Amino acid sequence: MRLLLPYAHDINGNLVHIDNAQKGQKYKCPNCGAELLLKISKIPEGQKYHRRNHFVHKGNSDNHCSESFLHKLFKEKCAKYIREKISVQEDLFFEWECEKCNEYHKGNLLKKAVEVVTEYDLGVCKPDLALLDNNGKVIIVIEVIVTHKPEDVAIRHYKDNDIACLQINVEDF
């Protein structure tokens, strides 16, 4: 799957969506800082061969930055959303399929959480997001999956330390 990059930084460092981009302006990759080109489809939406508007790296067809930026963007937006929920003391429910009983369960992600930290260092791993209780103990981690799942050593660490691990698959912007 090829991810199309819908975001770039303008010359002032502002994040710009492709719908707000303008020809003649300079844009940089939010992940690596390389110069980006604007690709605007001349074929109207809905017609055969239409391609979504997007940014591309100048002289490079590498898709790695799109995947990395998708990961970073989702992680940051997720952390912001959770922080907002914590600040107003709202519940945040999610469902999961239990690997032990193969049934679905529902729980409040913020039942005990009072803080969310990105890239929290647990020694053997750094989960994308860590939710901490009022004693500073990590109770839930969130792993954002774009290209690969967390390593076995991280999953083992979570289980050994009674830390719930929520894995979220993200495939597109």
Side-chain angles (χ1 to χ4, degrees), residues 14-30:
N14 299 313
L15 194 61
V16 177
H17 188 269
I18 189 69
D19 292 343
N20 299 318
Q22 298 175 357
K23 285 245 182 223
Q25 299 295 316
K26 292 193 180 265
Y27 296 99
K28 292 190 174 193
C29 177

Side-chain angles (χ1 to χ4, degrees), residues 126-153:
K126 284 186 180 179
D128 294 317
L129 300 170
L131 280 69
L132 288 66
D133 66 11
N134 56 8
N135 294 320
K137 180 183 182 294
V138 176
I139 50 175
I140 299 173
V141 296
I142 299 174
E143 294 284 4
V144 179
I145 301 169
V146 175
T147 57
H148 61 278
K149 292 186 175 194
E151 295 181 16
D152 290 341
V153 66

Side-chain angles (χ1 to χ4, degrees), residues 39-83:
K39 292 291 183 174
I40 304 295
S41 179
K42 292 179 176 32
I43 301 168
E45 191 172 348
Q47 290 188 8
K48 191 173 184 180
Y49 302 116
H50 170 77
R51 190 164 187 184
R52 283 186 296 163
N53 299 335
H54 60 283
F55 295 99
V56 296
H57 285 82
K58 185 175 182 178
N60 188 351
S61 61
D62 185 20
N63 193 35
H64 177 71
C65 283
S66 294
E67 292 169 349
S68 297
F69 181 63
L70 174 60
H71 184 268
K72 179 180 176 182
L73 181 68
F74 186 88
K75 179 174 55 176
E76 288 175 1
K77 294 233 181 232
C78 188
K80 180 180 178 187
Y81 181 76
I82 293 171
R83 283 185 187 108

